[in-house]
Amino acid sequence: MIKKFVIKGVSKKFKGLQKLKPQKTPSRFTSVMSEATVKANQRKVLGDVPEFMGLSSRSVGDLASESLALRTANKTFFKSLGKGLKQSRARTATGIRTIRQTKSVSKPAVFKAKNKGALKAYKAANVKSEKVFVNTMDKFTGKSKLSPFVNRSIKAKDKTISQDVLKQMGLDDREYFNPKTGKTFINTVRGDFYKKKW
């Protein structure tokens, strides 16, 4: 026999569990093109793919498609960057002109504002060109591939080990005096370092 129980400490607005509406599947999985469509797209833009010894026609088509994708991505990048820099400079000039009506603006502040606008324009252009590259590769090869020029920098992890952990292993920093040199050194995990006198 199942007993009913009351859940305490729950808000009065809580209406119990609700069933979620059906979620849309990601578009990149639904728009997978057939090989015939990919070949038709390649033939329409690139023409008949030449055959090379040791390479299949599909491989040659993929290489030609990647070359086209790089060219279109670069074209988009420089076009977008130029437009973005122009807009950024105009916006920065207007902002500085407005501020100068009430107070003076230093040269470093102007330089910083210009740099900030330029970096924003560069990032926007980079995103657009990446999108163009991915879409072009998807259209002509049916594969999803990132541009080789994409910079996915990751912050380096801090490799320092706490002194408590090192002490447990008997590797904590220790000072010692070298009678030959007459200097005091600090023995660490990374090596021996001269202790400077402040």
Side-chain angles (χ1 to χ4, degrees), residues 17-49:
L17 298 173
Q18 292 178 338
K19 192 177 179 182
L20 287 171
K21 289 178 182 177
Q23 304 295 306
K24 285 184 179 179
T25 53
S27 59
R28 66 193 179 96
F29 293 117
T30 54
S31 64
V32 174
M33 283 183 258
S34 66
E35 201 169 328
T37 314
V38 167
K39 280 182 180 177
N41 288 337
Q42 277 184 2
R43 203 177 296 111
K44 191 178 179 183
V45 177
L46 305 168
D48 288 327
V49 177

Side-chain angles (χ1 to χ4, degrees), residues 84-151:
L85 284 171
K86 198 176 178 183
Q87 288 174 348
S88 168
R89 284 175 192 146
R91 213 178 295 122
T92 306
T94 309
I96 289 165
R97 225 177 285 123
T98 309
I99 294 165
R100 276 187 178 154
Q101 289 174 357
T102 53
K103 59 180 181 179
S104 62
V105 182
S106 64
K107 278 187 178 180
V110 173
F111 182 73
K112 194 178 177 182
K114 284 180 179 178
N115 274 359
K116 194 178 176 183
L119 188 66
K120 199 175 180 183
Y122 171 79
K123 283 179 179 176
N126 209 17
V127 167
K128 276 187 181 178
S129 69
E130 279 177 37
K131 199 174 180 183
V132 166
F133 183 88
V134 170
N135 289 346
T136 308
M137 284 299 288
D138 191 42
K139 184 179 181 181
F140 292 112
T141 63
K143 298 172 189 173
S144 185
K145 187 180 177 180
L146 278 176
S147 169
F149 298 108
V150 172
N151 182 17

Side-chain angles (χ1 to χ4, degrees), residues 6 9-10 16 34 47 64 90 102 142 155 165 170 194:
V6 179
V10 179
S34 66
T102 53
K155 195 179 177 183
V165 175
Y194 172 62

Side-chain angles (χ1 to χ4, degrees), residues 143-194:
K143 298 172 189 173
S144 185
K145 187 180 177 180
L146 278 176
S147 169
F149 298 108
V150 172
N151 182 17
R152 297 266 184 250
S153 56
I154 301 165
K155 195 179 177 183
K157 290 180 182 177
D158 188 23
K159 290 183 178 179
T160 54
I161 306 168
S162 67
Q163 283 295 314
D164 295 336
V165 175
L166 290 170
K167 201 171 186 179
Q168 288 173 1
M169 295 189 282
L171 298 169
D172 55 324
D173 295 356
R174 292 174 188 167
E175 287 184 21
Y176 72 92
F177 179 76
N178 191 335
K180 287 181 182 178
T181 57
K183 293 176 181 177
T184 307
F185 291 89
I186 301 170
N187 177 251
T188 67
V189 180
R190 294 172 301 282
D192 293 358
F193 298 97
Y194 172 62

